[in-house]
Amino acid sequence: MSQLKRVQQWATFARVWHIYDAAWQNPFQSAELLKKYLMGMHKPIYHPMNDCGDHVIVINTADVALPGDEWKKRVYFHHTGYPGGASWTLAWELHKKNPTMVMKKAVYNSMDRSLQRRYTMERLHLYPDANVPLNLLENVSNQIKQLRPKPKRLDEYKEEEVREFPKLIDLPKSYIVE
Amino acid sequence: MNTLLKCVQNFRFNVFKQTKHLSIYPALRVKEIQEKETNNELVISGKILESGREPYLLKNEHPEACPVCASGLQIKHTDVLILSQFMRSTGGMLPRRITGLCRRSQKYISSLVIMANKAGLMPHLKPANSHKDPKMRRGWKKYNKYFYESTIKIK
Ligand SMILES: [Zn+2]
């Protein structure tokens, strides 16, 4: 094997490390995106029997966002196996107990049920905040783009930005300042 | 019992008359701020202020339409710089007689204001006695959420 072909072989089958910021992202839409990187479906050499998945580090999973009132509508079911062992947990209760569990379950449930799924999940590294161990962070070579922009709060704008933003209406002279 | 009722009615009528005499501020139709000074006497004075919006006001190209319809913008609940123009300092929506919007736009913008408040995007526009930080809310309300504008139902 020539020198070039050997390097090409390494580059093809090397595991790439990606990082994804989950702040203000929907975990279920993000899971559909992340599973492609975890299973290697974004690669031309992809095959279900071909172990070519990448690593993904997900940060800020405590700040994931759900639409509307889904935090109190989405329910997670668990059964211990004993009689009367069923339990139903709301999404916000699960998130309060473990801020990475909603994201983990979203990715796990987004993938097809197979023997490979548990090994694929081993390549997913979840962190509730931005504190990632340095020995993992130094592997990262790609950032996955967020699905929706993080909304900027009004108090994060500068005062002159708010004042000089184009105004649609003016307050009438009868308006009394509170 | 009848006399008691009459007394109460008379009392209410008198109070109403008194307050009607005192409430000169909306009747004058000027923008005012009330200042109170208490060194042995109470002074309530009015002052006309500038809103500071004139230099940045958008020109309405279609004066027959309301400002929001005429601008042609697709406003989302994350556009807090636009939504804050229609809001009180306590976080509520201004009434239609002040905003001057059409019925449809008024309802749409007030829905967006509610959405932005629920998402905690304007934490400092709140009543003085409330938790300003969204993370201080109870239960499921403290977690991040976003909204779809397509869920606003207006005719
Ligand atoms: Zn209109």
Side-chain angles (χ1 to χ4, degrees), chain A residues 51-91:
Chain A
D51 185 17
C52 63
D54 287 345
H55 288 262
V56 177
I57 300 175
V58 183
I59 59 168
N60 294 330
T61 56
D63 297 332
V64 292
L66 289 184
D69 54 358
E70 203 176 312
W71 280 116
K72 65 168 182 175
K73 297 285 183 191
R74 184 174 282 272
V75 181
Y76 289 91
F77 175 75
H78 178 72
H79 203 293
T80 59
Y82 289 97
S87 68
W88 290 266
T89 311
L90 299 180

Side-chain angles (χ1 to χ4, degrees), chain B residues 82-116:
Chain B
I82 298 177
L83 295 181
S84 61
Q85 300 172 18
F86 301 98
M87 285 171 66
R88 297 178 195 276
S89 58
T90 48
M93 177 83 181
L94 287 169
R96 224 180 114 202
R97 66 171 188 277
I98 292 174
T99 59
L101 303 182
C102 64
R103 199 179 291 273
R104 187 189 159 87
S105 292
Q106 175 77 13
K107 201 161 184 200
Y108 187 70
I109 296 283
S110 37
S111 303
L112 294 182
V113 165
I114 292 168
M115 286 176 171

Side-chain angles (χ1 to χ4, degrees), chain A residues 68 71 167-168 170 173 175, chain B residues 30-31 51 56 85 144 146:
Chain A
W71 280 116
K167 297 287 186 292
L168 284 173
D170 196 4
K173 289 277 181 261
Y175 181 68
Chain B
V30 283
K31 188 175 186 177
S51 66
Y56 311 107
Q85 300 172 18
N144 290 346
Y146 65 93

Side-chain angles (χ1 to χ4, degrees), chain A residues 40 70 85 100 113 115 121:
Chain A
E70 203 176 312
T100 62
R113 288 94 176 105
L115 289 174
M121 286 298 289

Side-chain angles (χ1 to χ4, degrees), chain B residues 36-58:
Chain B
K36 288 177 186 177
E37 295 168 13
T38 49
N39 41 0
N40 265 341
E41 56 181 17
L42 176 69
V43 181
I44 301 174
S45 61
K47 202 174 164 187
I48 298 174
L49 296 174
E50 292 296 320
S51 66
R53 294 190 182 186
E54 285 94 72
Y56 311 107
L57 205 60
L58 277 181

